[in-house]
Amino acid sequence: MVKQEGINMNDTLEAQYQVEALPFVPVDLTSSLITCGDDRELTYPNECIHIFGGALYTPYLVSVLITSSDPSLTPSNFMDNVDSLIPLMLSRNYEISVHSDDKNENGHHDIDINDQSIVNVGCGFAQKRQIISNSIGQNRDQILSIAQNLRPELFDSEQELNDANAIIKAHEAMARSLTVSGRELVKKSLELGTSGVVVLGSHKSKSGVYNLIRNTSLDTNLANQNQNPAYIQDGWAVIDIMKSLSDIIPLDIKKVEIADLIDSIGIMLALGVDADKIEVRR
């Protein structure tokens, strides 16, 4: 584990100041749109909750956690979990969405799932899911070190470290088993009833925030207007969603937190965020 005394407190305070300088706003899990943690401007005027992959995140997190419980079994099927969990989340009145970008949608501000000429999608979570999970496995030590540094309270015991290692192995197994394309994932999500959102322009951010302060999220459009965009994962919302589904999916919440943190770090690194530019907002 990374020792806390090795952390420069001046650097920590400066990073926290920079995070709080971002425009965080109130949100509500029962009424705010849940969209991706992308750094780009949204074609949606209201405040959103940000979870990487939007509607796709919970099905993938569940896939990883199921796979981590017994690595000898065939990896959990991501598309099957999309099919079952997205309708469940919609039935619990979560406003969930998936997204693309204006480049992949030929300049349009909506997602045309019937245009067979468009084969890619402007969502890194969907488009690069196999690459991200494979990278998590390949960079095990780095990701574990970052995770322990960011949230040491999740790694108090040998069992929790074992859980983290099992989760990383599950990412490797999932990467080997994934065959579905990003476009297919977004198309299926929209057919199941999620909202579609388009983000505008190119990625500009080199920083990421893992947000633990409940009922708050980043105003992505305002952050872009201020020339200070950031990738954002509302970890509090991930945990609240998983708790609300516990009657159907009984998972250990601390293990969920570990899995969410590991995947969030892996996604941010894949998006080009440097390890020292990932901050926890508490």
Side-chain angles (χ1 to χ4, degrees):
M1 182 180 290
V2 176
K3 294 182 179 179
Q4 288 302 100
E5 59 264 31
I7 299 173
N8 186 310
M9 290 307 296
N10 287 333
D11 290 346
T12 301
L13 291 171
E14 175 65 20
Q16 198 64 32
Y17 172 79
Q18 291 173 356
V19 167
E20 289 305 323
L22 293 168
F24 283 89
V25 292
V27 290
D28 189 307
L29 197 53
T30 63
S31 59
S32 299
L33 182 71
I34 300 169
T35 189
C36 190
D38 199 293
D39 66 323
R40 293 172 287 181
E41 182 183 350
L42 284 162
T43 55
Y44 183 79
N46 300 326
E47 293 80 8
C48 300
I49 293 168
H50 296 283
I51 297 173
F52 287 121
L56 294 168
Y57 189 82
T58 297
Y60 197 76
L61 188 69
V62 168
S63 299
V64 168
L65 286 163
I66 291 172
T67 302
S68 74
S69 65
D70 190 345
S72 67
L73 298 177
T74 301
S76 184
N77 188 291
F78 183 23
M79 187 60 97
D80 286 350
N81 288 330
V82 168
D83 267 327
S84 61
L85 292 179
I86 284 181
L88 176 61
M89 288 188 287
L90 290 169
S91 75
R92 302 289 172 94
N93 296 318
Y94 290 124
E95 294 187 39
I96 49 178
S97 71
V98 287
H99 84 95
S100 186
D101 60 18
D102 54 346
K103 179 181 178 181
N104 280 279
E105 303 307 319
N106 298 320
H108 297 140
H109 288 187
D110 55 12
I111 305 172
D112 186 354
I113 59 174
N114 297 313
D115 189 339
Q116 300 301 312
S117 69
I118 305 176
V119 296
N120 294 324
V121 68
C123 170
F125 181 94
Q127 187 71 21
K128 300 179 179 180
R129 185 62 263 183
Q130 187 176 41
I131 294 170
I132 294 166
S133 279
N134 186 62
S135 179
I136 289 171
Q138 295 298 312
N139 296 286
R140 172 192 313 272
D141 292 344
Q142 179 195 22
I143 287 175
L144 270 178
S145 177
I146 297 168
Q148 290 170 306
N149 191 16
L150 291 175
R151 296 202 65 192
E153 70 275 12
L154 295 182
F155 303 95
D156 290 330
S157 70
E158 193 66 29
Q159 182 57 55
E160 287 154 359
L161 286 172
N162 290 339
D163 287 342
N165 277 294
I167 287 161
I168 290 173
K169 287 181 181 177
H171 273 283
E172 292 180 290
M174 288 294 297
R176 290 192 296 269
S177 72
L178 285 173
T179 57
V180 63
S181 74
R183 192 81 188 177
E184 289 172 319
L185 287 166
V186 167
K187 183 175 186 291
K188 170 57 72 173
S189 301
L190 292 170
E191 289 172 345
L192 290 169
T194 69
S195 301
V197 176
V198 171
V199 297
L200 307 176
S202 303
H203 293 294
K204 298 182 180 68
S205 182
K206 295 295 182 183
S207 62
V209 180
Y210 187 82
N211 181 30
L212 289 175
I213 299 182
R214 295 184 76 253
N215 299 322
T216 68
S217 191
L218 181 66
D219 186 329
T220 302
N221 289 350
L222 183 56
N224 273 274
Q225 291 169 23
N226 293 344
Q227 306 299 311
N228 193 21
Y231 296 101
I232 171 78
Q233 175 80 339
D234 288 323
W236 66 266
V238 174
I239 303 309
D240 280 4
I241 290 170
M242 291 303 300
K243 285 179 178 177
S244 77
L245 302 177
S246 61
D247 58 323
I248 305 294
I249 315 164
L251 294 167
D252 178 83
I253 292 300
K254 195 164 191 181
K255 192 172 180 181
V256 171
E257 290 187 85
I258 292 169
D260 178 42
L261 182 62
I262 285 171
D263 203 11
S264 298
I265 292 166
I267 292 165
M268 289 184 192
L269 292 177
L271 290 167
V273 178
D274 291 335
D276 62 354
K277 296 297 183 182
I278 302 173
E279 301 294 340
V280 173
R281 179 175 183 258
R282 300 179 183 272

